[in-house]
Amino acid sequence: MSIAAAQKRSFSTVLWDYLTTVDHKKVAHLYLFGGGFFFLLGGIEALIIRIQLIKPMNDVVSAGLYNEMFTMHGTTMIFLAAMPLILALMNAAMPLQIGARDVAFPFLNALGVWLFIFGGILLNLSWFLGGAPDAGWTSYVPLATDSASHGVDFYVLGLQIAGAGTLMSGINFLATIVNMRAPGMTYMRMPLFTWTTFITSTLILFAFPALTIGLFLLMFDRMFGSAFFDAALGGNAIIWEHLFWIFGHPEVYILILPIFGVFSEVFATFSKKRLFGYTAMVFATMLIAFLGFMVWAHHMFTVGLGPMANSIFAVATMAIAVPTGIKIFNWLATMWGGSIKINSAMLWSLGFIPTFTIGGMTGVMLGSAVADYQYHDTYFVVAHFHYVIVGGTVFGIFAGLHYWWPKMFGRILNETLGQITFWVFFIGFHLTFFIQHFLGLMGMPRRYWVFLEGQELDLGNLISTIGAFLMGVGVIVFLYNVVVTAIKGEKAAADPWDGRTLEWSIPSPPPFYNFKQVPLVRGLDALWIEKTEGNRQMTPGEPLDDIHMPNGSIMPFLMSLGFFVAGIGFIYQTDHKLWFLALYGGMAFALGTMVVRSLKDDLGYYVKKEELEREAK
């Protein structure tokens, strides 16, 4: 494909383009569109939960449907919204930040996003095919093994397929950062968002296999008569809790560490200062990741692990506050004395600091084993969790989208609408969740369908529901902003924020080959160094030459489709043997596409030097 051909693609080819793309920037779009859709779905489920709890003894939804709602809300938001939206930011920014022309394995990158999309579709098909999962997002056994409908089976297969895509992305990003950095970009010259992507990918590499194993065991218990978790037959239900939380607690840091990278970029750019304490920030990120991986059992204080285990995990959990505090003080020091510009991205970042600090403080409270016996499974836990995940991850995703939107789509999001989105969502968020701390301390248990009259829980729940609707209004304003910007938004220059890192040295949106010549990196904040020396562009790290690019392929889509069909076969083969046709057919199709891919020589193509020179004129 030539540059000219790329520029002349008509609208009618866009769909095929996205189905076959292996370009990391378009893969980022797919993650954004997919994750955004599931974010809306999870948000609607949250609103239904809050409508049910708006008053005592409400009966808008049945108890069974309520179980399905909170199960799907948690599962959707964690696995199908937050994770892919973070992967969208990683795909959009990280390769550009290190001066790479693509990720290490473009085909694998495309396979990862299609596995996520088909896994998400499979999970949500459960709403239309006999009932959604109803054992909570943690799917604790024996609730999960005893659940009568196929809902938990959809949970197992949907997450297994989507999780495989995430694991592939983690491996791909690690290989990309290790092998494809521009000349001169040593590890300690990498932007902090790239560092957090690297460390998060390492966490994915070690955490997701635990989930995969747990889901396989649960699948065999439910579908093939094994008894890994059945105590009556010699199994042990606690194994599931260990496996889930060995994955589940690092997952919290998989969600938040990249966001720390986003905030670091935003604070440095809009304070016109180098990030304060860069080295400390890198090592603090490593320490948070290590401790975050080792403290899974603090989710199990009430299981009965014993005082010694509880004490060790309590101390280790509370120790995470130290490196996290280092980060917060360094962000404040970055802004101190800086030339600060307040815009939408900065507002989300500033709003994050007090919000996440509250979430961190309540995390230390929950980390105390003694106090946890009181807080366990109450709305205090719900409030803490949302202060960390929404106040951290969702705020960070909005900050990242406002920051990198010009680079991703070539247009700047409307600033007025951006600030309205922030204030409406921010106020709604604190109305929703701050009061839930007190509801929890007053004894309101989580996951309950109704609460009774006369328990003094009415006002708190009413305020919480009003806040949830305000958050919904904030999201609607953001969607309106996206549409308005797409139709008549301001076109973005290559460097609209006067940025410091390499992604701002190339046009917005970037050409499909990213860098005409791979840049030479001479220090941290590579672009800023060139600017301070009066250079109008990056110093090339190589002579102008032909550029090798990968071919697009429909195979990732087809492989994922095969696993999707096989997943449906796995779920329903317990009902009738004819479903084995779908199981074996889907697996054969997926494996067949793998064989075709393995046997076919696909050497990519070259963008010729002459064509690059013509484009420059």
Side-chain angles (χ1 to χ4, degrees), residues 122 150 153-154 156-157 161 216 219-220 222-224 562-575 579-584 586-587:
L122 180 62
H150 277 302
D153 301 328
F154 279 98
V156 170
L157 270 301
I161 292 172
F216 266 125
M219 184 175 87
F220 274 83
R222 284 189 57 89
M223 301 178 192
F224 302 108
F563 287 120
F564 170 80
V565 173
I568 293 177
F570 268 114
I571 292 167
Y572 286 103
Q573 49 81 27
T574 54
D575 293 353
W579 284 103
F580 276 107
L581 290 174
L583 194 165
Y584 291 129
M587 288 301 293

Side-chain angles (χ1 to χ4, degrees), residues 78-315:
I78 295 291
F79 294 99
L80 305 180
M83 273 302 308
L85 289 173
I86 288 170
L87 291 172
L89 295 178
M90 290 176 174
N91 266 293
M94 183 275 288
L96 303 180
Q97 286 195 328
I98 63 171
R101 292 208 171 92
D102 208 327
V103 292
F105 307 113
F107 184 92
L108 202 64
N109 203 23
L111 181 58
V113 73
W114 285 116
L115 284 172
F116 143 66
I117 291 172
F118 277 106
I121 293 171
L122 180 62
L123 181 56
N124 279 279
L125 277 181
S126 59
W127 285 115
F128 310 102
L129 298 175
D134 57 359
W137 82 278
T138 55
S139 210
Y140 283 152
V141 294
L143 274 178
T145 46
D146 291 349
S147 179
S149 76
H150 277 302
V152 174
D153 301 328
F154 279 98
Y155 173 97
V156 170
L157 270 301
L159 291 192
Q160 199 71 289
I161 292 172
T166 304
L167 186 56
M168 289 177 189
S169 296
I171 294 169
N172 207 352
F173 289 148
L174 281 174
T176 303
I177 295 170
V178 169
N179 293 307
M180 300 182 69
R181 284 168 288 127
M185 179 161 282
T186 62
Y187 281 105
M188 294 312 288
R189 290 178 178 176
M190 292 196 309
L192 210 76
F193 181 69
T194 298
W195 256 116
T196 54
T197 300
F198 183 75
I199 295 168
T200 301
S201 300
T202 309
L203 278 179
I204 289 174
L205 186 63
F206 288 101
F208 267 73
L211 176 67
T212 303
I213 293 167
L215 290 174
F216 266 125
L217 298 184
L218 186 55
M219 184 175 87
F220 274 83
D221 269 15
R222 284 189 57 89
M223 301 178 192
F224 302 108
S226 63
F228 293 106
F229 305 124
D230 188 346
L233 297 174
N236 188 339
I238 304 302
I239 293 173
W240 169 262
E241 289 199 38
H242 278 295
L243 285 172
F244 185 86
W245 287 116
I246 287 172
F247 150 79
H249 196 72
E251 171 68 6
V252 174
Y253 296 92
I254 290 169
L255 295 178
I256 198 64
L257 288 181
I259 297 308
F260 286 173
V262 171
F263 292 132
S264 299
E265 304 293 335
V266 170
F267 283 132
T269 300
F270 295 114
S271 300
K272 291 283 180 291
K273 279 181 66 184
R274 180 176 171 169
L275 183 67
F276 184 87
Y278 170 83
T279 306
M281 294 289 263
V282 171
F283 286 100
T285 308
M286 291 180 185
L287 189 56
I288 291 171
F290 175 75
L291 290 173
F293 198 87
M294 302 303 291
V295 298
W296 78 91
H298 72 210
H299 291 272
M300 302 164 63
F301 282 150
T302 56
V303 163
L305 300 176
M308 180 61 75
N310 282 355
S311 302
I312 292 171
F313 281 101
V315 171

Side-chain angles (χ1 to χ4, degrees), residues 326-518:
I326 290 172
K327 282 183 168 291
I328 288 177
F329 283 116
N330 279 350
W331 287 322
L332 295 175
T334 301
M335 289 185 283
W336 184 268
S339 177
I340 298 174
K341 178 181 180 181
I342 302 293
N343 58 13
S344 301
M346 197 66 169
L347 277 176
W348 285 107
S349 306
L350 291 169
F352 152 83
I353 290 180
T355 307
F356 192 80
T357 302
I358 294 172
M361 288 165 57
T362 53
V364 172
M365 294 168 71
L366 286 163
S368 166
V370 177
D372 187 72
Y373 275 84
Q374 173 67 26
Y375 306 140
H376 187 75
D377 266 350
T378 70
Y379 262 73
F380 188 90
V381 178
V382 177
H384 157 73
F385 187 75
H386 284 86
Y387 261 77
V388 173
I389 299 299
V390 180
T393 303
V394 175
F395 279 26
I397 289 169
F398 275 119
L401 288 177
H402 283 87
Y403 183 59
W404 279 309
W405 198 271
K407 191 54 62 181
M408 293 176 75
F409 296 102
R411 291 179 185 272
I412 298 175
L413 285 169
N414 182 284
E415 184 55 31
T416 304
L417 290 172
Q419 296 201 17
I420 292 172
T421 302
F422 168 76
W423 284 112
V424 173
F425 193 95
F426 184 78
I427 293 169
F429 167 80
H430 285 284
L431 278 180
T432 306
F433 295 110
F434 189 72
I435 203 155
Q436 289 184 5
H437 291 107
F438 301 99
L439 290 172
L441 293 174
M442 291 163 69
M444 181 170 169
R446 64 195 288 204
R447 304 189 181 105
Y448 274 35
W449 169 49
V450 293
F451 60 94
L452 305 176
E453 292 179 350
Q455 294 181 307
E456 299 184 353
L457 302 173
D458 307 23
L459 182 61
N461 275 294
L462 176 63
I463 293 172
S464 188
T465 301
I466 292 170
F469 274 90
L470 272 180
M471 292 168 71
V473 171
V475 173
I476 291 171
V477 175
F478 177 75
L479 293 176
Y480 177 68
N481 192 358
V482 169
V483 174
V484 167
T485 301
I487 296 172
K488 56 179 181 181
E490 176 189 350
K491 288 190 177 178
D495 185 14
W497 312 130
D498 195 13
R500 309 175 72 84
T501 44
L502 287 179
E503 71 268 34
W504 306 112
S505 68
I506 55 177
S508 303
F512 62 92
Y513 48 80
N514 291 355
F515 295 89
K516 197 172 292 179
Q517 291 170 278
V518 173

